[in-house]
Amino acid sequence: MKPPSPADRSAVLESARALKMARSAHAFVRGNTVKFYDWLAASPSAKRLPSGPAIWICGDCHLGNLGPLGDGRGGIEIQIRDLDQTVIGNPAHDLIRLALSLATAARGSDLPGVTTAHMIEQMVEGYTDALDDPAAGDPGPEPDAVRLVRRRALGRRWEHLARERIDDTEPVIPIGKKFWALAEPERAALEALFADEEIKRLILSLGHKDEDRAVRLVDAAWWVKGCSSLGLMRYAAVVAIRGAKGRDEFGLVDVKEATLPAAPAAKGATVPKDQAQRVVAGARALSPHLGKRMIATRLLGRPVFIRELAPQDLKLEVEQFTQGQAVKAARYLAYVVGKAHARQMEPAVRADWLRAMGARRTGSLDAPSWLWESVVDLSGSHEAGYLEHCRRYALEKAA
């Protein structure tokens, strides 16, 4: 595939995004954050949503946006790994987004509707356990999907990251389908970016202890990546860190444009006006392993956030759920989200939020009706939207 020119990128990226979203109902849910909030606001259940405390939320809390993150010292923890949509908002929105994502994944695995009911019930159990005790709560049994990705993440090095992301251990980004050549102004802007001392310190903070080591940009390309964010400015950059003995270590850096979020902010919330600063602030509140190695800046006049990718950073991919694993995953992942929310709340605020949710702690598996009704309403809207998207995509391809 010949990479498109910078002038032709938008049309190619829009076509690629349409194809990704047509591949499955779950991909459509993942890539349609704007529609999610539009349909939620228009649903009958919208008036029944509890008003949670104004805290940083993910804003796009679907299944694929959780996974293992490296802590910079070889350890990992399952945390929220994508914060493009983060705002100070209502935590109920994260719960509904996660529940819809899990329900869609269950349907894609041909699981019966009763399994979805049990998943949402277990979601509430996991989430409320995290609110009860964010330091030592019980996430429940680790589902196979999490255990396998955690096992993969342990012990990974540059070689694993490079083979996975750029298809080779050599520090050269291959131009083709996934990576596109840069225009001269883009390359010059990236060269200047990685000459900045603050950017260098960020890179050296991730497992590179000697702050006097030299950092230089080796290679860079436009990165064709993501789903809901596909089409925004995004670059992959390989950097070299020169050691005391003259040997280079390599790292892969993600440079991504930040735009206005679709997730609604809480009334009166003070959210940074600079969109990249908003993303970094939300990441530091919700996912410390990620937030501490992110920085906000500007590139070519646009707000961008930068992070060096750790070899341990992996996406939680679930091709097929079994019934038992689906229920375990629902509890476990909701616990992860609950922990991210709870660390921002004082005990009294957590207790108030539990009461407002209407979560039952008496051994009953009934989920709050507002959550179940929201998932039912949104499942119908997304299914209809997905089929219409596929119809339009097929017509455009035929034309």
Side-chain angles (χ1 to χ4, degrees):
M1 173 185 173
K2 183 181 178 181
S5 68
D8 296 332
R9 285 175 185 167
S10 294
V12 176
L13 288 167
E14 185 58 36
S15 178
R17 183 171 181 270
L19 172 60
K20 277 193 172 186
M21 290 173 61
R23 284 176 175 161
S24 70
H26 193 223
F28 182 79
V29 168
R30 287 175 55 181
N32 237 342
T33 316
V34 173
K35 284 292 188 183
F36 167 83
Y37 284 106
D38 287 345
W39 287 332
L40 177 61
S43 72
S45 58
K47 294 180 180 179
R48 300 190 58 232
L49 297 191
S51 297
I55 59 168
W56 284 102
I57 63 170
C58 170
D60 190 19
C61 193
H62 63 69
L63 180 61
N65 278 349
L66 289 95
L69 291 171
D71 65 0
R73 300 184 299 275
I76 63 168
E77 185 176 339
I78 307 298
Q79 292 183 354
I80 301 169
R81 57 185 302 281
D82 189 314
L83 281 304
D84 292 28
Q85 294 287 338
T86 186
V87 292
I88 296 176
N90 187 351
H93 289 155
D94 275 358
L95 278 172
I96 296 169
R97 188 83 169 125
L98 179 59
L100 176 66
S101 171
L102 288 164
T104 308
R107 292 287 287 167
S109 300
D110 292 326
L111 296 177
V114 68
T115 301
T116 300
H118 282 292
M119 289 171 72
I120 294 176
E121 291 159 356
Q122 284 299 300
M123 261 192 64
V124 174
E125 291 291 311
Y127 184 82
T128 54
D129 273 351
L131 288 182
D132 282 341
D133 190 349
D138 178 18
E142 190 170 76
D144 288 348
V146 173
R147 179 174 51 81
L148 291 173
V149 78
R150 185 191 293 277
R151 184 181 296 170
R152 276 183 58 209
L154 289 171
R156 280 168 54 98
R157 300 180 180 277
W158 157 256
E159 291 79 8
H160 302 92
L161 178 67
R163 288 194 188 97
E164 182 179 85
R165 301 299 181 101
I166 60 176
D167 301 323
D168 200 338
T169 57
E170 293 298 314
V172 178
I173 299 176
I175 301 302
K177 186 176 181 180
K178 291 197 301 183
F179 299 102
W180 295 344
L182 299 178
E184 281 304 316
E186 292 174 309
R187 183 168 292 279
L190 287 166
E191 291 277 3
L193 186 71
F194 286 98
D196 183 89
E197 292 301 321
E198 192 174 6
I199 305 299
K200 289 181 179 180
R201 283 195 295 273
L202 172 76
I203 293 168
L204 289 169
S205 70
L206 184 63
H208 311 294
K209 297 179 181 179
D210 185 355
E211 294 191 2
D212 293 328
R213 297 170 73 179
V215 177
R216 62 185 174 87
L217 179 65
V218 176
D219 199 7
W222 182 286
W223 202 349
V224 186
K225 182 175 170 57
C227 191
S228 59
S229 62
L230 196 61
L232 300 179
M233 186 171 71
R234 190 168 190 176
Y235 302 100
V238 175
V239 295
I241 302 97
R242 179 59 57 89
K245 296 182 180 180
R247 297 179 62 183
D248 284 339
E249 297 177 13
F250 298 103
L252 183 63
V253 179
D254 187 6
V255 182
K256 190 175 182 182
E257 182 181 0
T259 60
L260 286 168
K267 186 176 181 180
T270 304
V271 179
K273 293 182 179 179
D274 181 278
Q275 299 306 316
Q277 292 177 10
R278 169 187 59 79
V279 173
V280 173
R284 289 175 179 170
L286 289 158
S287 300
H289 288 357
L290 180 62
K292 69 182 180 183
R293 48 185 163 95
M294 292 176 68
I295 192 169
T297 187
R298 297 189 74 82
L299 183 71
L300 297 172
R302 303 187 197 179
V304 296
F305 54 96
I306 301 172
R307 64 166 172 155
E308 183 181 357
L309 300 177
Q312 295 80 24
D313 296 351
L314 292 173
K315 183 180 289 188
L316 186 61
E317 298 281 11
V318 180
E319 296 297 330
Q320 285 290 115
F321 267 136
T322 64
Q323 184 168 337
Q325 289 302 311
V327 173
K328 286 181 182 178
R331 179 189 174 92
Y332 188 94
L333 296 177
Y335 180 87
V336 171
V337 175
K339 189 173 179 181
H341 289 174
R343 68 166 61 97
Q344 303 176 64
M345 305 180 203
E346 296 296 328
V349 176
R350 296 201 306 267
D352 287 344
W353 174 221
L354 276 171
R355 284 191 292 270
M357 283 176 58
R360 300 187 180 184
R361 308 297 293 156
T362 60
S364 170
L365 287 178
D366 289 338
S369 58
W370 60 265
L371 179 58
W372 176 252
E373 290 169 8
S374 297
V375 172
V376 171
D377 292 343
L378 288 168
S379 293
S381 299
H382 278 78
E383 183 66 24
Y386 171 61
L387 292 174
E388 179 60 22
H389 174 81
C390 292
R391 186 186 74 86
R392 290 199 309 269
Y393 179 77
L395 289 173
E396 289 169 6
K397 293 295 288 185

